[in-house]
Amino acid sequence: MSEVYIVDAIRTPIGKRGGALSGVHPIDLGAHVVKALVERTGIDPSDVDDVIFGCVDAIGGQAGQHRP
């Protein structure tokens, strides 16, 4: 990859342990974000090679992933 572009940024809703989003898998939340970015920007999905996600406040199955 020789060129990098930051197209836009969208965040998912903030959830809490046992809250309304507790049954939603992080991959499904990410899919909504990608779909919204495609709709918002009009970018052709076939032009995208990589997508980088960040997680600021992980809970549940994603918590503690940085720890040994």
Side-chain angles (χ1 to χ4, degrees), residues 5-52:
Y5 298 92
I6 298 175
V7 177
D8 204 342
I10 297 179
R11 60 163 298 121
T12 59
I14 298 173
K16 62 181 182 177
R17 186 176 303 273
L21 295 173
S22 63
V24 180
H25 195 279
I27 292 174
D28 295 326
L29 286 174
H32 286 289
V33 169
V34 172
K35 181 179 177 187
L37 282 170
V38 169
E39 290 172 357
R40 182 191 286 191
T41 62
I43 191 169
D44 182 352
S46 66
D47 290 337
V48 178
D49 292 327
D50 291 305
V51 176
I52 299 173

